[in-house]
Amino acid sequence: MAFAPSLSPSCGLFSCYASATKSNEIEQRFPLHTRSSFKSSFSGEFLQRSLISKTGCGLGGGSRDSLHFHVRASASVLADKSTEKVHVPKGDMWSVHKFGGTCVGSADRIQNVAEIVVNDDSERKLVVVSAMSKVTDMMYNLVQKAQSKDDSYVAALDEVLEKYKATAQQLLDGDDLDGFLNKLHDDIYKLKALLYAIYIAGHATESFSDNIVGHGELWSAQMLSCVVRKLGQDCSWMDTREVIIVNPTNSNQVDPDFLESENRLEKWFSKHSAKTIIATGFIASTPDNIPTTLKRDGSDFSAAIMGALFRARQVTIWTDVDGVYSADPRKVSEAVILSTLSYQEAWEMSYFGANVLHPRTIIPVMRYNIPIIIRNIFNLRAPGTMIGGTSSKENRDVQKLDSVVKGFATIDNVALVNVEGTGMAGVPGTASAIFGAVKNVGANVIMISQASSEHSVCFAVPEREVNAVAEALESRFEQALGAGRLSKVEVIPNCSILAAVGQKMASTPGVSASLFNALAKANINIRAIAQGCSEYNITVVLKREDCVRALRAVHSRFYLSKTTIAMGIVGPGLIGATLLDQLRDQAAILKEDFNIDMRVMGITGSRTMVLSELGIDLSRWRELQKEKGEVADMEKFVQHVHGNQSIPNTVVVDCTADSNVASHYYGWLRKGIHVITPNKKANSGPLDQYLKLRALQRQSYTHYFYEATVGAGLPIISTLRGLLETGDKILRIEGIFSGTLSYIFNSFIGERAFSEVVSEAKQAGFTEPDPRDDLSGTDVARKVIILARESGLKLELSDIPVQSLVPEPLKASPSAEEFMEQLPQFDQDMAKQRSDAETAGEVLRYVGVVDALNNKGNVELRRYKKDHPFAQLSGSDNIIAFTTTRYKDNPLIVLGPGAGAQVTAGGIFSDILRLASYLGAPS
């Protein structure tokens, strides 16, 4: 059963409301002058004295005149009392604090707030408090239940009562506790009466609803004031409905009347001139003394209004975060706390959903240049974020060197509407008609973009409103669409908005270029762009699925907090394992000195793989592979490495020589995954596939690096590209490309047998497990074809004649061991070739040649004079000579180690660092 208070039959006001089913019926039953009095009566004074008292209704007789007189008298109580005029002191002696619901969510937290207030050494303090955590929602729910004829509102209100009662019993004692509980029970009794009236009528006016939901703040302020007094500091509590006067607008907001509010503050302060004031947040009154609320973020708004009224030194907003972040830390783990924000930056970021202050909260304090400080009540050591005008503190903002963009914010669940047609160009009023139709359906336009050709207008609206917008536009422009003056009204769903905000962006060249470059390198397409002439904001519309990745990419670009790269290592064999160890040894230095954060998210071999959400501990990767290894699955592996939404950049490093792995490169690059490899199979495979791969690389911002495919760690590919990009022309490339064969022929001297040298090279780890893979010359041929294609020659691997060093009878040997056993039988032939060369004063060298002039290449064993550079090699060194139009007489020579796991892994590592520099790391 709903609560039914005992009411006097003579209470005309209550009986009329209880019997009405719609609010307009109230207006029909009261004449005009009584209706205005009815509105005025719902002030805090009315609730305390007029509606219900312990002895009856409190309104006297039921006549209209007596009702009118009583309400007028109640509304003028303050004016009738004669008190000595005390002017409100204003200025820097005041500090304003605002504590939200989380800050006063329990007895312990209220005690903590009281201690913060007492410890503030400001001369005067005003503290604005919210209702206890979740209470305002509970109060709104009460109203909803009562309107819906759900009598469980009674039990729900009792739950609120018990919450405050239990809290007060933990905090207060003696007269303070008795006084608070008496007031609390009295308020609850009156609220049940109001809710019963709503229950009977099935409807609540806005003033009734606002009056009910604001009680949480009243109780919090009264409780906190008692605790502060208990700690030895005198204070008064303020019902801000007596002070803050606002005018409702048509946009579900209110505008403060500062002149009238200052007058009311003077009256209030003449009776309560304490140096510490505990004030209610969220609630206020209209000029007719009707209770209302400050709507969204009302408590913050209250604090800003009070700060402006007192001309305070600062307003501190206490919350549960350390300050304002450069981006949502739930989406960008590298987001940093901003030490300062300008008023304009805070406006822009809050509009786009950042957890900052609502723009209207900033307006009151901005008038007097009063800073707002966001601080964490649970971490008093954190200095927080100061929002205000620019100051010297801005120079101490040490986020990063390039801080023209202060922060990034996003809005999800957005749709684009595109109105397009040649008939729009040069026709005045088209935009007005479009947005007039949008206004008529009550939709909120978040962003607008129009090309100077006037051919189309596109704008973003919340996705839930887009269907109504599209229907309204199609109806409004039905004739124009039919006649062809407009070609379409198009809806693009599933979008998100990304905004970059910063006051220093104004007049700073290159900001847009950097932003769009970062998005392009992250392989993200932009659907619409908008920038105001103030240049404080650049807004782009993206696919919703790309939003988080885009946010991380641009944040990394501007903050350079860490160029974070998610890495997947394919092939943890000799080269892959060496690379992982090199990454382990350098990771800390790269992170600290160069802001490069390389996280190996997965390692896979042909049979097993190990995956990690945060990055594999490279000091234990071998153990983890054994302990947590799972069956290798390339698709799952790549999806895991690339699908990690906390890292914007992904690279797969293929350390194998597997053609099957190489066949995945094209698909990976299309997905925005960078590829780095020493694997020659992709670049020396079928020409059409190679050309397709390179075309994709050039068209996108996804990188494909393969320096280690030729010359291990030597800069062969980059040298060749440098020559071509600067306008040089390749005539010939000739070199010793195999470290293995270089070692063999450097060691094949004197009376040593060829088979002995090959065996020595195998034992030293210079050859493949089967030395025939090296002696066949196929590996050198692949390097030749790679360099030929890089030089612009369109050759297939089959176009390269190769002289094999594997004796013909041994090519079919079933195993490497049997091959090595039989190889000494053929030493005589190689010994004769060596002897002939020595007789002519020459040496044997196994070389590859790219003849660019004749569009051909070859691989063969050649003889060189002993004073030739190729004859001067030692060990496993490689040497490559570039003959070009610039270096025609004296070829450009690159010389150095060309074999070994350390050297090859170093070449791969160099490519990884080059990728990092392309992605934004300092060079």
Side-chain angles (χ1 to χ4, degrees), residues 779-790:
D779 182 67
V780 176
R782 289 188 180 279
K783 295 175 181 179
V784 167
I785 200 69
I786 290 171
L787 292 177
R789 289 173 175 179
E790 290 287 321

Side-chain angles (χ1 to χ4, degrees), residues 88-96 123-124 307-314 370:
V88 179
K90 297 181 180 181
D92 287 351
M93 76 280 291
W94 286 98
S95 65
V96 175
E123 183 181 341
R124 293 178 178 270
L309 292 177
F310 282 100
R311 312 294 192 269
R313 181 180 77 257
Q314 67 182 38
I370 300 170

Side-chain angles (χ1 to χ4, degrees), residues 834-896:
R834 178 182 62 190
S835 175
D836 291 345
E838 287 179 348
T839 301
E842 297 173 337
V843 296
L844 296 175
R845 295 292 182 261
Y846 195 78
V847 298
V849 178
V850 176
D851 185 350
L853 286 177
N854 296 304
N855 195 35
K856 65 180 184 179
N858 64 287
V859 175
E860 61 186 5
L861 184 63
R862 287 190 173 188
R863 289 159 47 171
Y864 291 90
K865 293 292 182 182
K866 291 186 177 180
D867 61 352
H868 192 279
F870 286 16
Q872 310 301 315
L873 297 186
S874 62
S876 61
D877 282 358
N878 281 7
I879 186 169
I880 296 91
F882 294 93
T883 304
T884 72
T885 53
R886 291 179 191 159
Y887 299 94
K888 191 171 184 179
D889 298 326
N890 293 299
L892 175 64
I893 291 178
V894 178
L895 169 67

Side-chain angles (χ1 to χ4, degrees), residues 496-572:
S496 290
I497 286 178
L498 168 66
V501 173
Q503 193 166 355
K504 288 185 178 180
M505 289 164 56
S507 303
T508 301
V511 177
S512 297
S514 297
L515 178 75
F516 298 138
N517 187 256
L519 293 173
K521 286 182 176 179
N523 202 36
I524 291 166
N525 184 47
I526 299 170
R527 292 187 162 179
I529 303 167
Q531 179 179 5
C533 63
S534 69
E535 300 183 68
Y536 289 169
N537 174 305
I538 301 174
T539 304
V540 296
V541 181
L542 318 158
K543 290 181 182 178
R544 184 188 303 160
E545 64 198 54
D546 292 337
C547 186
V548 173
R549 192 156 48 92
L551 180 62
R552 290 169 184 151
V554 296
H555 187 274
S556 175
R557 169 61 187 85
F558 282 94
Y559 271 83
L560 301 180
S561 54
K562 295 180 182 72
T563 300
T564 310
I565 304 174
M567 300 176 63
I569 306 294
V570 182

Side-chain angles (χ1 to χ4, degrees), residues 629-867:
E630 54 185 283
V631 177
D633 181 331
M634 186 62 74
E635 185 176 347
K636 181 180 178 182
F637 173 81
V638 173
Q639 184 177 3
H640 172 83
V641 174
H642 185 51
N644 191 303
Q645 288 298 307
S646 65
I647 303 175
N649 307 300
T650 306
V651 60
V652 171
V653 181
D654 173 21
C655 297
T656 74
D658 192 328
S659 57
N660 182 53
V661 177
S663 68
H664 291 287
Y665 293 176
Y666 187 83
W668 292 344
L669 290 168
R670 286 202 66 177
K671 291 178 180 177
I673 301 172
H674 309 288
V675 176
I676 294 173
T677 185
N679 188 343
K680 293 174 277 291
K681 298 297 173 63
N683 286 8
S684 61
L687 179 62
D688 60 337
Q689 293 183 22
Y690 165 81
L691 294 174
K692 185 179 176 184
L693 194 62
R694 289 301 309 274
L696 175 63
Q697 179 193 8
R698 293 188 184 100
Q699 291 166 6
S700 70
Y701 280 87
T702 309
H703 299 286
Y704 173 41
F705 294 145
Y706 43 87
E707 185 71 75
T709 57
V710 181
L714 296 179
I716 307 301
I717 300 292
S718 56
T719 298
L720 175 56
R721 284 189 177 176
L723 293 169
L724 293 171
E725 288 169 1
T726 58
D728 205 350
K729 183 179 179 181
I730 302 298
L731 303 178
R732 182 182 181 87
I733 303 173
E734 185 175 357
I736 297 172
F737 295 107
S738 169
T740 301
L741 293 172
S742 177
Y743 177 84
I744 288 173
F745 284 100
N746 288 333
S747 304
F748 185 44
I749 55 177
E751 299 298 321
R752 300 191 70 187
F754 185 72
S755 60
E756 177 190 347
V757 175
V758 172
S759 177
E760 180 182 89
K762 185 176 186 298
Q763 291 174 9
F766 287 126
T767 72
E768 294 294 331
D770 189 337
R772 285 175 293 182
D773 292 340
D774 299 292
L775 297 174
S776 68
T778 303
D779 182 67
V780 176
R782 289 188 180 279
K783 295 175 181 179
V784 167
I785 200 69
I786 290 171
L787 292 177
R789 289 173 175 179
E790 290 287 321
S791 302
L793 307 186
K794 294 183 178 179
L795 299 175
E796 294 282 7
L797 186 60
S798 58
D799 295 330
I800 307 295
V802 179
Q803 180 184 351
S804 174
L805 299 179
V806 179
E808 190 66 33
L810 300 186
K811 288 182 180 179
S813 293
S815 68
E817 289 74 18
E818 187 171 334
F819 165 76
M820 291 302 299
E821 287 176 5
Q822 296 179 7
L823 185 59
Q825 301 174 20
F826 300 89
D827 282 343
Q828 187 175 357
D829 179 58
M830 291 301 300
K832 184 177 185 310
Q833 292 191 58
R834 178 182 62 190
S835 175
D836 291 345
E838 287 179 348
T839 301
E842 297 173 337
V843 296
L844 296 175
R845 295 292 182 261
Y846 195 78
V847 298
V849 178
V850 176
D851 185 350
L853 286 177
N854 296 304
N855 195 35
K856 65 180 184 179
N858 64 287
V859 175
E860 61 186 5
L861 184 63
R862 287 190 173 188
R863 289 159 47 171
Y864 291 90
K865 293 292 182 182
K866 291 186 177 180
D867 61 352

Side-chain angles (χ1 to χ4, degrees), residues 60-95:
S63 72
R64 296 170 182 171
D65 290 341
S66 63
L67 175 62
H68 189 179
F69 174 79
H70 181 87
V71 175
R72 294 287 186 180
S74 298
S76 60
V77 169
L78 289 176
D80 290 341
K81 291 184 178 180
S82 62
T83 56
E84 184 180 350
K85 187 73 171 178
V86 178
H87 288 291
V88 179
K90 297 181 180 181
D92 287 351
M93 76 280 291
W94 286 98
S95 65

Side-chain angles (χ1 to χ4, degrees), residues 67-234:
L67 175 62
H68 189 179
F69 174 79
H70 181 87
V71 175
R72 294 287 186 180
S74 298
S76 60
V77 169
L78 289 176
D80 290 341
K81 291 184 178 180
S82 62
T83 56
E84 184 180 350
K85 187 73 171 178
V86 178
H87 288 291
V88 179
K90 297 181 180 181
D92 287 351
M93 76 280 291
W94 286 98
S95 65
V96 175
H97 297 266
K98 178 264 174 179
F99 296 94
T102 305
C103 301
V104 292
S106 67
D108 289 341
R109 292 183 179 179
I110 293 172
Q111 183 70 40
N112 183 40
V113 166
E115 290 170 2
I116 290 173
V117 172
V118 170
N119 291 332
D120 178 5
D121 58 3
S122 300
E123 183 181 341
R124 293 178 178 270
K125 293 164 279 190
L126 182 131
V127 179
V128 175
V129 290
S130 299
M132 292 180 72
S133 180
K134 307 297 182 185
V135 166
T136 300
D137 290 339
M138 294 168 74
M139 301 298 274
Y140 273 118
N141 192 40
L142 291 174
V143 177
Q144 186 58 43
K145 285 177 179 289
Q147 286 188 120
S148 304
K149 303 282 188 175
D150 180 354
D151 59 12
S152 65
Y153 74 83
V154 179
L157 182 56
D158 286 338
E159 184 180 343
V160 177
L161 166 65
E162 288 304 317
K163 183 179 181 76
Y164 274 93
K165 182 178 178 180
T167 304
Q169 287 171 337
Q170 293 180 63
L171 291 168
L172 309 177
D173 50 34
D175 291 342
D176 284 339
L177 177 61
D178 292 340
F180 176 78
L181 291 180
N182 286 337
K183 185 66 174 68
L184 177 64
H185 282 286
D186 191 47
D187 287 344
I188 293 292
Y189 184 79
K190 295 172 183 177
L191 286 174
K192 285 183 177 179
L194 275 175
L195 289 164
Y196 181 67
I198 294 169
Y199 176 87
I200 295 299
H203 177 77
T205 63
E206 185 177 357
S207 61
F208 266 60
S209 177
D210 287 350
N211 208 313
I212 291 168
V213 300
H215 273 71
E217 279 73 14
L218 291 167
W219 299 327
S220 291
Q222 292 169 50
M223 244 193 319
L224 179 59
S225 66
C226 290
V227 178
V228 171
R229 282 196 298 270
K230 189 176 177 183
L231 292 174
Q233 191 164 101
D234 186 39

